[in-house]
Amino acid sequence: AQSVTQPDIHITVSEGASLELRCNYSYGATPYLFWYVQSPGQGLQLLLKYFSGDTLVQGIKGFEAEFKRSQSSFNLRKPSVHWSDAAEYFCAVGAASGTYKYIFGTGTRLKVLA
Amino acid sequence: EAGVAQSPRYKIIEKRQSVAFWCNPISGHATLYWYQQILGQGPKLLIQFQNNGVVDDSQLPKDRFSAERLKGVDSTLKIQPAKLEDSAVYLCASSLERGRNYGYTFGSGTRLTVV
């Protein structure tokens, strides 16, 4: 069975600073990996996904993530954070067969200081 | 393309009452999911439909929760009777097909408060 760990519950960065949100997963095969963002009172919006191929994945809003199989990680990065990036970020791992269901991490809440 | 529609947006009920949520997925999406998101936690899958059949309901508390997807389109999730711990956001998502190359699209959710 797959599982996801997001070690940081809260992260605070200054506007314009770089950002890295950590995600570690457990899965017996090559996983499908996703990052979603959730603004208050909203549903989840897909930022980016990894299925195969290039391990550096580009997403929307200037985000990118790198799949590192050796570290079982899929960290999300952004070179320069904007105040509008303040939200909760969820990493998810999808099963590659069977039900293909997603398992979500507990989320990281990002606060951006002006 | 219209998104995943959910209603109501908010619901407040007393414990032991019943409640129902409705979801209309993106047109043509065969796979539909209901997730429960308790405050401070990530979404947890309750049930997954492929067309009008249940694929996975292993985490659905079947003594109080039920869901159906008639005609393979709209879906309803019901709780009867509700408990305080059911307070959460209930998210519906849909996907074109059950498979690796299809991501989910989520609705805005229904926030349930049980008092």
Side-chain angles (χ1 to χ4, degrees), chain A residues 32 38 41 51 90 98-99, chain B residues 9 35 37 42 48 98 100 104:
Chain A
Y32 305 155
Q38 187 177 38
F51 288 152
F90 293 94
T99 64
Chain B
R9 285 299 310 273
Y35 278 81
Q37 186 179 17
Q48 176 182 346
R98 179 165 55 95
R100 63 180 296 166
Y104 294 7

Side-chain angles (χ1 to χ4, degrees), chain A residues 32 36 38 41-44 49 51-52 90 98-102 104-106, chain B residues 9 35 37 42-43 45 48 55-56 91 98 100-104 106-108:
Chain A
Y32 305 155
Y36 283 85
Q38 187 177 38
Q42 301 298 313
L44 291 102
K49 60 188 176 186
F51 288 152
S52 64
F90 293 94
T99 64
Y100 296 93
K101 69 181 181 184
Y102 294 8
F104 285 84
T106 51
Chain B
R9 285 299 310 273
Y35 278 81
Q37 186 179 17
L45 180 67
Q48 176 182 346
V55 174
D56 184 348
L91 294 163
R98 179 165 55 95
R100 63 180 296 166
N101 288 321
Y102 303 104
Y104 294 7
F106 281 87
S108 297

